[in-house]
Amino acid sequence: MARPDKAAAVAELTDKFRSSNAAVLTEYRGLTVAQLKTLRRSLGENAQYAVVKNTLTKIAANEAGITLDDQLFAGPTAVAFVTGDPVESAKGLRDFAKDNPNLVIKGGVLDGKALSADEIKKLADLESREVLLAKLAGAMKGKQSQTAALFQALPSKLVRTVDALRAKQAEQGGAE
């Protein structure tokens, strides 16, 4: 029979996995309390960084319907549960790991799909959601402007063509 405190911890972790857009598993061995505090701040307001027990986390992930590789649960593990933009948190982890080599990104999950450490680093290289949406809106506005200019050009070209034909007919009519 499972102890009530462990069952409660598994239930809490399961809820975090279900309510998060992404979760990144890291190894934090060798980091000081001050460095962990800095790391938590660098992740942004949409992420929680928690030191977890490997066995309980694996059980919680399975209960949440997430299959993670057993190798992710080797050594001391902490999980960043991301409820907002995963790119921002991935950038925070990547940048912190550059300055603090003791932080090792092991892997994670994004919208239920398992990610390797390399995929998380690629995610960190993306621009934020807001920037990508702004670029999309700019591109769409540009296409609309081009379309409007095309529709405006057609009638004016028609008018110029008709005027040229009239002038040519008047010239031919005056020459006869």
Side-chain angles (χ1 to χ4, degrees), residues 74-149:
T77 303
V79 182
F81 293 102
V82 183
T83 55
D85 184 11
V87 173
E88 178 185 353
S89 298
K91 284 182 185 193
L93 284 167
R94 178 198 61 195
D95 295 343
F96 188 86
K98 283 181 185 176
D99 297 334
N100 300 283
N102 287 336
L103 179 73
V104 177
I105 298 172
K106 297 179 179 182
V109 61
L110 175 64
D111 293 328
K113 179 186 176 288
L115 298 176
S116 68
D118 290 334
E119 290 172 321
I120 291 172
K121 290 174 185 170
K122 288 178 186 175
L123 181 65
D125 292 336
L126 289 176
E127 294 174 330
S128 72
R129 183 176 188 269
E130 289 78 19
V131 171
L132 291 174
L133 287 174
K135 285 185 175 184
L136 176 64
M140 291 174 76
K141 183 179 179 191
K143 291 296 180 190
Q144 289 174 344
S145 297
Q146 288 175 347
T147 304

Side-chain angles (χ1 to χ4, degrees), residues 2-149:
R3 292 192 350 219
D5 58 334
K6 288 186 179 183
V10 168
E12 181 182 349
L13 287 171
T14 302
D15 184 48
K16 284 184 179 182
F17 273 114
R18 287 184 179 146
S19 64
S20 299
N21 297 341
V24 180
L25 282 78
T26 64
E27 183 175 324
Y28 64 94
R29 187 186 332 230
L31 293 177
T32 66
V33 173
Q35 288 172 323
L36 286 173
K37 188 175 179 181
T38 304
L39 172 59
R40 285 186 174 100
R41 271 189 259 120
S42 72
L43 292 177
E45 294 186 15
N46 297 326
Q48 284 183 307
Y49 190 74
V51 174
V52 294
K53 291 194 172 281
N54 290 334
T55 306
L56 301 180
T57 305
K58 188 174 180 181
I59 293 169
N62 287 335
E63 285 185 11
I66 298 169
T67 305
L68 295 171
D69 188 13
D70 288 343
Q71 294 176 354
L72 296 177
F73 298 102
T77 303
V79 182
F81 293 102
V82 183
T83 55
D85 184 11
V87 173
E88 178 185 353
S89 298
K91 284 182 185 193
L93 284 167
R94 178 198 61 195
D95 295 343
F96 188 86
K98 283 181 185 176
D99 297 334
N100 300 283
N102 287 336
L103 179 73
V104 177
I105 298 172
K106 297 179 179 182
V109 61
L110 175 64
D111 293 328
K113 179 186 176 288
L115 298 176
S116 68
D118 290 334
E119 290 172 321
I120 291 172
K121 290 174 185 170
K122 288 178 186 175
L123 181 65
D125 292 336
L126 289 176
E127 294 174 330
S128 72
R129 183 176 188 269
E130 289 78 19
V131 171
L132 291 174
L133 287 174
K135 285 185 175 184
L136 176 64
M140 291 174 76
K141 183 179 179 191
K143 291 296 180 190
Q144 289 174 344
S145 297
Q146 288 175 347
T147 304

